[in-house]
Amino acid sequence: MGSLTVDLNALEDVTEKFKSLIDNSNTILNDFNSQKNCIDFDIAERDNIRYDLNEVSKELKLISKNIVTYDMKIDDAINTYSEIEIQLKSIMSNLDITKKSDENNTYAKPAEVTVGKVRVRNTTVADGITTGYLIDIIDGLGGTVSWDGETRTTTVTLNGKTTTYNLNNMKDGVGHASDGTTFTVIDGHIQVGVREVSEKAGANVKWAPNSTGGVTVNIDYTHARVSRTTEVIKDNGKHGQLWKTDDILILEQQGNRSHIRYPVGDDYATAWVDTDKLKIIDNIIDDDNIKNVEGYDFEVELKKFPKSYQDQIIALNEIHPQWRFYADNIDVDFNGFIDSEIKHGLVCTPESKYGYDNKWRDPKLKYDKGYFAASRKATAYFIDPRNFINERQVFQFLSSKYDPNTQNIESVNKVLGGNLSTKGDAFVKAGGKDASAVFLAAKCMVESGGGKSTLACGKVKGYEGWYNMYGIGANDGNALIGGAKKAKSYGWNSQDKAIIGGGQWIFNKYVAKGQDTLYKMKWNVENYESEGEISHQYATHIKDAYNKAYNFSKGLIDVDAPFVFRIPVYNNMQDAISSEPTRATHR
């Protein structure tokens, strides 16, 4: 067995080296752990920093949002401050004016300004300039005003032209409109010079001192009329017509051409026309204009009538001193008009004394059963206005235009009865600012039998539920069907719709064209004067105006109002009043 020899010294060296290696390893491990702890701390710090950055980012976003909100509030505050500053400057300016001496005549004085028919608010006179609210002046001139809050701009539309007033462009409390008009802002309203705005619109300005120490300023356009129906081209390029009775306003003149505004239904149109076709009218005799009874001079107007009219008018004035009578001079030969009316049997009657002894009918015309042509003698009697200037029949000449004295439910209800007794409001709406509600109510009572006729009750066979309150379209031959068809074509499926729609139809078709009385609706002398022919008459019955005037008088004779009566006066009228036939005339 062999022997094992161990070198102890060598073993000790190895052992020492091993121990040294372990120590080094421990040192390295300790260093690693130390580094790891530092890294973990750095990671934790990084996470903390990220969290803090996120929180800061949120705070910054909130701050940014608040800054935007505060900017908007600051802008609003600046705008509000600017407006207040403008008002304060205007107030201080006015205060400064009132403090100036009377010797310089520059202090502000009150003014009463009427533009058209609108009273202008906040009007004063200072340094010879009268100012007032723009919105009232434009309203009186017939224009419109609109406001855009986003751009702080007021837009005026008048006679086809547009003018803008931008408040953002004001400096030191004063601005200038797109047409150069100077303006300020007072109490949230644009304040302008009355004369400057009105004259730029072509209106006339009339100044007069008043009892309060200020001034009264009346503003209106130059009025004109045409001698006959005249064709025009509107500013929008469409064709239009001027009627003899149109109240035409002259807006401006260039050479031999005039820019005008004229009524079209319930609206207006503008156009250019040759100036020589216009006749300037100093005072349009019109229901809209004749509002002040004190301005009516009975003696002056009476002298405008021939002597054969005057005694009867004087007698009526003694009974009804509030009524107003105007001579309606017709440039038509009296006998020529009568001859044209009876031509071809256009006038008919059921009463033998008003016809011919053989009850003649024109074969080219259709007559209702029991009707035949009226004689010339009877036609002359009913056309001669002098036969009807009495308390009942004078209502043949009652103006059907808008009358502010009677445009109310109380006056209308005095006319109504039967099925129509609760319809006053509908008639006031039907008249609006164009036609007389009293006239329409009285006419409806006559045409519909107090609202009880088949047409008024909407009971025409085959047309049930369609109402016609004025007999529109109910022509001779088949009146019920004609009237019902007309009602359906206009959509009058209730009595109120038929009252309002029919009233507007009467205004557009008759009143606006000069047939503004019962007399002229029956005898269309306006068209005969301008065109030389008979047309567009409301009925063929010779007593149409006579019968309706009598029924009108039942409701109107006791109404205490300054009614306007326009009584026709023809050319070449004989002094003797046309007599009523007592028996049929031989043909």
Short mmCIF file of all heavy atoms in Angstrom, two decimals, residues 490-523:
data_model
loop_
_atom_site.label_atom_id
_atom_site.label_comp_id
_atom_site.label_asym_id
_atom_site.label_seq_id
_atom_site.Cartn_x
_atom_site.Cartn_y
_atom_site.Cartn_z
N TYR A 490 -108.66 80.32 -52.40
CA TYR A 490 -107.89 81.14 -51.47
C TYR A 490 -107.69 80.45 -50.12
O TYR A 490 -107.06 81.00 -49.22
CB TYR A 490 -108.56 82.50 -51.26
CG TYR A 490 -108.31 83.48 -52.39
CD1 TYR A 490 -109.27 83.72 -53.36
CD2 TYR A 490 -107.10 84.15 -52.49
CE1 TYR A 490 -109.04 84.62 -54.40
CE2 TYR A 490 -106.85 85.05 -53.51
CZ TYR A 490 -107.83 85.28 -54.47
OH TYR A 490 -107.58 86.16 -55.50
N GLY A 491 -108.25 79.25 -49.97
CA GLY A 491 -108.06 78.51 -48.73
C GLY A 491 -108.86 79.04 -47.56
O GLY A 491 -108.45 78.90 -46.40
N TRP A 492 -110.03 79.64 -47.83
CA TRP A 492 -110.85 80.21 -46.75
C TRP A 492 -111.70 79.10 -46.14
O TRP A 492 -112.90 78.98 -46.43
CB TRP A 492 -111.73 81.34 -47.29
CG TRP A 492 -110.94 82.49 -47.83
CD1 TRP A 492 -109.66 82.82 -47.52
CD2 TRP A 492 -111.36 83.46 -48.78
NE1 TRP A 492 -109.25 83.94 -48.21
CE2 TRP A 492 -110.29 84.36 -49.00
CE3 TRP A 492 -112.55 83.67 -49.48
CZ2 TRP A 492 -110.37 85.43 -49.87
CZ3 TRP A 492 -112.64 84.74 -50.36
CH2 TRP A 492 -111.55 85.61 -50.55
N ASN A 493 -111.12 78.31 -45.24
CA ASN A 493 -111.84 77.19 -44.64
C ASN A 493 -112.40 77.52 -43.26
O ASN A 493 -112.72 76.63 -42.48
CB ASN A 493 -110.95 75.95 -44.58
CG ASN A 493 -109.66 76.19 -43.81
OD1 ASN A 493 -109.46 77.27 -43.25
ND2 ASN A 493 -108.80 75.19 -43.79
N SER A 494 -112.46 78.79 -42.93
CA SER A 494 -113.13 79.25 -41.70
C SER A 494 -113.67 80.65 -41.96
O SER A 494 -113.21 81.34 -42.88
CB SER A 494 -112.17 79.27 -40.52
OG SER A 494 -111.23 80.31 -40.65
N GLN A 495 -114.63 81.08 -41.15
CA GLN A 495 -115.19 82.42 -41.34
C GLN A 495 -114.14 83.50 -41.08
O GLN A 495 -114.08 84.49 -41.81
CB GLN A 495 -116.39 82.62 -40.41
CG GLN A 495 -117.65 81.91 -40.88
CD GLN A 495 -118.89 82.40 -40.17
OE1 GLN A 495 -118.83 82.94 -39.07
NE2 GLN A 495 -120.04 82.21 -40.80
N ASP A 496 -113.29 83.30 -40.07
CA ASP A 496 -112.26 84.31 -39.78
C ASP A 496 -111.30 84.45 -40.95
O ASP A 496 -110.91 85.57 -41.33
CB ASP A 496 -111.49 83.93 -38.52
CG ASP A 496 -112.24 84.30 -37.25
OD1 ASP A 496 -113.43 84.64 -37.36
OD2 ASP A 496 -111.65 84.25 -36.17
N LYS A 497 -110.88 83.33 -41.54
CA LYS A 497 -109.97 83.40 -42.70
C LYS A 497 -110.65 84.10 -43.87
O LYS A 497 -110.01 84.85 -44.61
CB LYS A 497 -109.55 81.99 -43.11
CG LYS A 497 -108.53 81.35 -42.19
CD LYS A 497 -108.09 79.99 -42.72
CE LYS A 497 -107.05 79.35 -41.82
NZ LYS A 497 -106.63 78.01 -42.34
N ALA A 498 -111.94 83.84 -44.05
CA ALA A 498 -112.68 84.47 -45.15
C ALA A 498 -112.85 85.97 -44.91
O ALA A 498 -112.81 86.77 -45.84
CB ALA A 498 -114.04 83.80 -45.32
N ILE A 499 -113.04 86.38 -43.64
CA ILE A 499 -113.17 87.80 -43.31
C ILE A 499 -111.85 88.53 -43.55
O ILE A 499 -111.82 89.58 -44.21
CB ILE A 499 -113.61 87.97 -41.84
CG1 ILE A 499 -115.06 87.52 -41.66
CG2 ILE A 499 -113.45 89.43 -41.39
CD1 ILE A 499 -115.50 87.42 -40.21
N ILE A 500 -110.76 87.96 -43.03
CA ILE A 500 -109.46 88.61 -43.15
C ILE A 500 -108.94 88.55 -44.58
O ILE A 500 -108.54 89.57 -45.16
CB ILE A 500 -108.45 87.97 -42.17
CG1 ILE A 500 -108.91 88.19 -40.73
CG2 ILE A 500 -107.05 88.53 -42.39
CD1 ILE A 500 -108.13 87.40 -39.69
N GLY A 501 -108.97 87.36 -45.17
CA GLY A 501 -108.48 87.21 -46.54
C GLY A 501 -109.32 87.97 -47.54
O GLY A 501 -108.80 88.60 -48.47
N GLY A 502 -110.64 87.95 -47.35
CA GLY A 502 -111.53 88.68 -48.25
C GLY A 502 -111.36 90.18 -48.12
O GLY A 502 -111.43 90.91 -49.11
N GLY A 503 -111.10 90.65 -46.89
CA GLY A 503 -110.86 92.07 -46.69
C GLY A 503 -109.61 92.54 -47.40
O GLY A 503 -109.59 93.62 -48.02
N GLN A 504 -108.57 91.72 -47.34
CA GLN A 504 -107.33 92.07 -48.04
C GLN A 504 -107.54 92.03 -49.55
O GLN A 504 -106.96 92.84 -50.29
CB GLN A 504 -106.22 91.09 -47.62
CG GLN A 504 -105.83 91.25 -46.16
CD GLN A 504 -104.94 90.14 -45.63
OE1 GLN A 504 -104.79 89.09 -46.27
NE2 GLN A 504 -104.36 90.34 -44.46
N TRP A 505 -108.36 91.08 -50.01
CA TRP A 505 -108.68 90.98 -51.45
C TRP A 505 -109.39 92.26 -51.91
O TRP A 505 -109.07 92.80 -52.97
CB TRP A 505 -109.55 89.76 -51.68
CG TRP A 505 -109.85 89.45 -53.12
CD1 TRP A 505 -109.15 88.61 -53.94
CD2 TRP A 505 -110.94 89.96 -53.90
NE1 TRP A 505 -109.72 88.57 -55.19
CE2 TRP A 505 -110.82 89.39 -55.20
CE3 TRP A 505 -111.98 90.83 -53.65
CZ2 TRP A 505 -111.72 89.67 -56.22
CZ3 TRP A 505 -112.88 91.12 -54.68
CH2 TRP A 505 -112.74 90.54 -55.94
N ILE A 506 -110.36 92.73 -51.14
CA ILE A 506 -111.09 93.95 -51.49
C ILE A 506 -110.15 95.14 -51.55
O ILE A 506 -110.24 95.98 -52.46
CB ILE A 506 -112.24 94.20 -50.48
CG1 ILE A 506 -113.34 93.15 -50.68
CG2 ILE A 506 -112.82 95.61 -50.64
CD1 ILE A 506 -114.40 93.18 -49.60
N PHE A 507 -109.24 95.23 -50.57
CA PHE A 507 -108.29 96.35 -50.59
C PHE A 507 -107.42 96.30 -51.85
O PHE A 507 -107.28 97.30 -52.56
CB PHE A 507 -107.40 96.33 -49.35
CG PHE A 507 -106.30 97.36 -49.41
CD1 PHE A 507 -106.57 98.69 -49.12
CD2 PHE A 507 -105.02 97.02 -49.79
CE1 PHE A 507 -105.58 99.66 -49.20
CE2 PHE A 507 -104.01 97.97 -49.88
CZ PHE A 507 -104.30 99.30 -49.58
N ASN A 508 -106.84 95.15 -52.13
CA ASN A 508 -105.92 95.03 -53.26
C ASN A 508 -106.62 95.23 -54.60
O ASN A 508 -106.08 95.86 -55.51
CB ASN A 508 -105.23 93.66 -53.25
CG ASN A 508 -104.26 93.51 -52.10
OD1 ASN A 508 -103.67 94.48 -51.65
ND2 ASN A 508 -104.09 92.30 -51.61
N LYS A 509 -107.84 94.69 -54.73
CA LYS A 509 -108.54 94.70 -56.01
C LYS A 509 -109.32 95.98 -56.27
O LYS A 509 -109.56 96.36 -57.42
CB LYS A 509 -109.49 93.50 -56.10
CG LYS A 509 -108.81 92.14 -56.06
CD LYS A 509 -107.98 91.90 -57.31
CE LYS A 509 -107.39 90.49 -57.30
NZ LYS A 509 -106.58 90.22 -58.51
N TYR A 510 -109.73 96.66 -55.20
CA TYR A 510 -110.59 97.83 -55.38
C TYR A 510 -110.03 99.09 -54.71
O TYR A 510 -109.74 100.08 -55.38
CB TYR A 510 -112.00 97.53 -54.83
CG TYR A 510 -112.76 96.57 -55.71
CD1 TYR A 510 -112.70 95.19 -55.48
CD2 TYR A 510 -113.52 97.02 -56.78
CE1 TYR A 510 -113.38 94.30 -56.29
CE2 TYR A 510 -114.21 96.14 -57.61
CZ TYR A 510 -114.13 94.77 -57.36
OH TYR A 510 -114.79 93.89 -58.18
N VAL A 511 -109.87 99.04 -53.39
CA VAL A 511 -109.49 100.25 -52.66
C VAL A 511 -108.17 100.82 -53.16
O VAL A 511 -108.06 102.02 -53.42
CB VAL A 511 -109.41 99.96 -51.15
CG1 VAL A 511 -109.05 101.25 -50.39
CG2 VAL A 511 -110.72 99.40 -50.64
N ALA A 512 -107.16 99.95 -53.31
CA ALA A 512 -105.84 100.42 -53.74
C ALA A 512 -105.85 100.94 -55.17
O ALA A 512 -104.93 101.65 -55.57
CB ALA A 512 -104.82 99.27 -53.61
N LYS A 513 -106.89 100.61 -55.93
CA LYS A 513 -106.96 101.05 -57.33
C LYS A 513 -107.91 102.23 -57.52
O LYS A 513 -108.30 102.55 -58.64
CB LYS A 513 -107.39 99.88 -58.21
CG LYS A 513 -106.34 98.77 -58.23
CD LYS A 513 -106.73 97.62 -59.14
CE LYS A 513 -105.64 96.55 -59.16
NZ LYS A 513 -105.98 95.41 -60.03
N GLY A 514 -108.30 102.85 -56.41
CA GLY A 514 -109.13 104.05 -56.50
C GLY A 514 -110.61 103.82 -56.31
O GLY A 514 -111.37 104.77 -56.16
N GLN A 515 -111.06 102.56 -56.32
CA GLN A 515 -112.48 102.26 -56.09
C GLN A 515 -112.69 102.13 -54.58
O GLN A 515 -112.95 101.06 -54.06
CB GLN A 515 -112.87 100.97 -56.82
CG GLN A 515 -112.84 101.11 -58.34
CD GLN A 515 -113.17 99.82 -59.06
OE1 GLN A 515 -112.29 99.07 -59.42
NE2 GLN A 515 -114.47 99.55 -59.24
N ASP A 516 -112.61 103.28 -53.92
CA ASP A 516 -112.56 103.28 -52.47
C ASP A 516 -113.87 103.69 -51.81
O ASP A 516 -113.90 104.03 -50.63
CB ASP A 516 -111.42 104.18 -51.99
CG ASP A 516 -111.55 105.60 -52.51
OD1 ASP A 516 -112.33 105.82 -53.45
OD2 ASP A 516 -110.88 106.50 -51.97
N THR A 517 -114.96 103.67 -52.55
CA THR A 517 -116.29 103.91 -52.00
C THR A 517 -117.25 102.91 -52.62
O THR A 517 -116.95 102.29 -53.65
CB THR A 517 -116.80 105.33 -52.30
OG1 THR A 517 -116.93 105.48 -53.72
CG2 THR A 517 -115.85 106.40 -51.75
N LEU A 518 -118.40 102.72 -52.00
CA LEU A 518 -119.43 101.84 -52.58
C LEU A 518 -119.81 102.33 -53.97
O LEU A 518 -120.04 101.53 -54.89
CB LEU A 518 -120.67 101.80 -51.68
CG LEU A 518 -120.52 101.09 -50.33
CD1 LEU A 518 -121.80 101.30 -49.51
CD2 LEU A 518 -120.24 99.61 -50.52
N TYR A 519 -119.87 103.64 -54.12
CA TYR A 519 -120.24 104.25 -55.40
C TYR A 519 -119.25 103.85 -56.49
O TYR A 519 -119.64 103.40 -57.58
CB TYR A 519 -120.30 105.77 -55.24
CG TYR A 519 -120.68 106.52 -56.50
CD1 TYR A 519 -122.01 106.85 -56.76
CD2 TYR A 519 -119.71 106.90 -57.43
CE1 TYR A 519 -122.36 107.54 -57.91
CE2 TYR A 519 -120.06 107.59 -58.58
CZ TYR A 519 -121.38 107.91 -58.82
OH TYR A 519 -121.72 108.58 -59.97
N LYS A 520 -117.95 103.97 -56.19
CA LYS A 520 -116.95 103.68 -57.22
C LYS A 520 -116.75 102.19 -57.44
O LYS A 520 -116.23 101.78 -58.48
CB LYS A 520 -115.62 104.34 -56.85
CG LYS A 520 -115.62 105.85 -57.06
CD LYS A 520 -114.23 106.43 -56.85
CE LYS A 520 -114.20 107.91 -57.17
NZ LYS A 520 -112.86 108.51 -56.98
N MET A 521 -117.13 101.38 -56.45
CA MET A 521 -117.09 99.94 -56.69
C MET A 521 -118.17 99.53 -57.67
O MET A 521 -117.97 98.63 -58.50
CB MET A 521 -117.26 99.18 -55.36
CG MET A 521 -116.06 99.26 -54.45
SD MET A 521 -116.32 98.35 -52.91
CE MET A 521 -114.79 98.71 -52.05
N LYS A 522 -119.31 100.21 -57.58
CA LYS A 522 -120.40 99.93 -58.51
C LYS A 522 -120.16 100.63 -59.85
O LYS A 522 -120.30 100.04 -60.93
CB LYS A 522 -121.73 100.40 -57.91
CG LYS A 522 -122.89 100.48 -58.89
CD LYS A 522 -123.15 99.13 -59.54
CE LYS A 522 -124.10 99.29 -60.74
NZ LYS A 522 -123.77 98.36 -61.81
N TRP A 523 -119.79 101.91 -59.81
CA TRP A 523 -119.56 102.68 -61.04
C TRP A 523 -118.06 103.01 -61.12
O TRP A 523 -117.59 103.96 -60.49
CB TRP A 523 -120.38 103.99 -61.02
CG TRP A 523 -121.83 103.81 -60.64
CD1 TRP A 523 -122.42 104.15 -59.46
CD2 TRP A 523 -122.87 103.26 -61.46
NE1 TRP A 523 -123.76 103.84 -59.48
CE2 TRP A 523 -124.07 103.29 -60.72
CE3 TRP A 523 -122.91 102.74 -62.76
CZ2 TRP A 523 -125.28 102.82 -61.19
CZ3 TRP A 523 -124.12 102.27 -63.25
CH2 TRP A 523 -125.28 102.32 -62.49
#
